[in-house]
Amino acid sequence: MIQRIQTVYLLLSLVCAILLYVFPFWQTASAGMDAGMEIIGGSTHLFLLPLPFLMVASHLVAIFSYKHRKRQKQFCTGNILLYLIFLLLAFLIIQIEHQVFQHFNVMEFRFGLILPIVGIVLNIMARNGIKKDEALLRSMDRLR
């Protein structure tokens, strides 16, 4: 299981999904010292809260279904879709928050915004590794 490169890619993508709860992806702050900060992340909004949990569960199923390559490819595609939904919802929430909190002076993207993009790339690489395994097995079947 671990000796396959797509399992490593899926494990790294799993780490990205877990880190979505830890790192925020957008932060606003006003210029005054007495004003507060608005931080948006995977664990701060109700709409974004279940998505990283679904990603983690989907990654675990994909990792442990290494004997069923077709199912593993389907879960990789599902993970890519979950990451895209997370990004779209994140940008929608940022747009809504930006309109509501226009009096904030400093608005910046944080490290958490890179994690879904890295997760998508890792899932694409895992999916390509699964395709290579299937091609290798088909070529071995032709030799027999």
Side-chain angles (χ1 to χ4, degrees):
M1 175 173 83
I2 294 293
Q3 67 268 21
R4 297 169 59 202
I5 191 68
Q6 59 264 26
T7 306
V8 175
Y9 294 145
L10 286 171
L11 282 173
L12 291 173
S13 183
L14 173 70
V15 170
C16 288
I18 291 171
L19 290 178
L20 284 175
Y21 279 121
V22 178
F23 293 108
F25 55 83
W26 193 63
Q27 181 175 353
T28 60
S30 63
M33 293 296 286
D34 58 341
M37 300 173 89
E38 176 70 24
I39 297 174
I40 300 173
S43 62
T44 60
H45 280 275
L46 185 62
F47 296 118
L48 296 176
L49 194 59
L51 285 174
F53 177 73
L54 289 173
M55 287 180 217
V56 168
S58 179
H59 279 95
L60 289 174
V61 170
I63 289 169
F64 289 110
S65 65
Y66 58 91
K67 291 183 180 180
H68 307 283
R69 284 172 297 283
K70 185 177 179 182
R71 184 185 321 157
Q72 198 173 25
K73 272 192 339 186
Q74 290 172 346
F75 275 104
C76 284
T77 305
N79 288 333
I80 293 169
L81 290 175
L82 285 173
Y83 275 119
L84 288 175
I85 291 170
F86 184 85
L87 277 174
L88 290 175
L89 280 175
F91 284 129
L92 180 68
I93 289 173
I94 287 172
Q95 184 66 29
I96 291 170
E97 295 284 335
H98 179 65
Q99 289 176 355
V100 171
F101 297 108
Q102 288 183 355
H103 60 279
F104 286 111
N105 293 334
V106 179
M107 290 174 265
E108 59 185 21
F109 290 104
R110 307 298 287 179
F111 177 69
L113 193 65
I114 297 172
L115 292 173
I117 297 168
V118 171
I120 289 171
V121 170
L122 288 170
N123 273 300
I124 290 172
M125 291 169 61
R127 188 167 159 76
N128 289 338
I130 296 167
K131 284 182 184 178
K132 286 181 184 177
D133 274 359
E134 286 179 340
L136 179 67
L137 286 174
R138 274 186 265 135
S139 71
M140 294 300 287
D141 286 340
R142 275 183 275 176
L143 289 174
R144 283 192 242 182

